[in-house]
Amino acid sequence: DVQLQASGGGLVQAGESLRLACKASGFNFGDYAVGWFRQPPGKEREGISCVTNGGETIFHSDSVKGRFAISTDNAKNTVYLQMSSLRPEDTATYYCAAEPRQQEHPRAHCKGVAWFDHWGQGTQVTVSS
């Protein structure tokens, strides 16, 4: 049974940092595409950071490139999202996701929710100005 447990969200001020973690169970991390999505209030869920090939191939959306970094610890079956220079517009519920059918590049997985079968419960990030 594939399960994903996200944690690490919270309330921070603009310019501060947070690290989210997503602990996975029930599958071998290295065999799946893994990603982070976020959903601001009233908006669609957006793919921001995805990895394939056991974390070797990485994609970040333009909205977070240079500020966020996704990484994996395959031994711990955990994927992280290090978020720096946070902005009020980063306020959202953040979700991790996993998919066994890996595409050639993680960019494809970050295109939308349909590219992932398994989802965590979400963790709230709120950035005050």
Side-chain angles (χ1 to χ4, degrees), residues 19-80:
R19 189 178 77 158
L20 306 183
C22 178
K23 174 69 174 176
S25 60
F27 65 97
N28 185 348
F29 223 49
D31 295 333
Y32 277 56
V34 183
W36 284 98
F37 281 64
R38 67 184 181 185
Q39 188 166 17
K43 296 186 178 181
E44 292 188 353
R45 198 169 295 188
E46 166 198 23
I48 56 172
S49 300
C50 297
V51 297
T52 54
N53 298 318
E56 292 186 0
T57 310
I58 295 173
F59 169 80
H60 291 294
S61 68
D62 288 343
S63 60
V64 304
K65 192 178 297 181
R67 300 187 299 122
F68 291 10
I70 188 172
S71 62
T72 61
D73 185 333
N74 292 343
K76 295 182 178 180
N77 248 23
T78 301
V79 59
Y80 301 97

Side-chain angles (χ1 to χ4, degrees), residues 105-121:
H105 194 279
R107 177 188 304 111
H109 289 282
C110 264
K111 284 183 178 179
V113 298
W115 292 96
F116 286 96
D117 273 351
H118 306 285
W119 293 85
Q121 85 285 8

Side-chain angles (χ1 to χ4, degrees), residues 4-7 36 45 93-96 119-124:
L4 300 165
Q5 182 71 38
S7 62
W36 284 98
R45 198 169 295 188
T93 303
Y94 284 70
Y95 298 89
C96 58
W119 293 85
Q121 85 285 8
T123 185
Q124 179 67 35

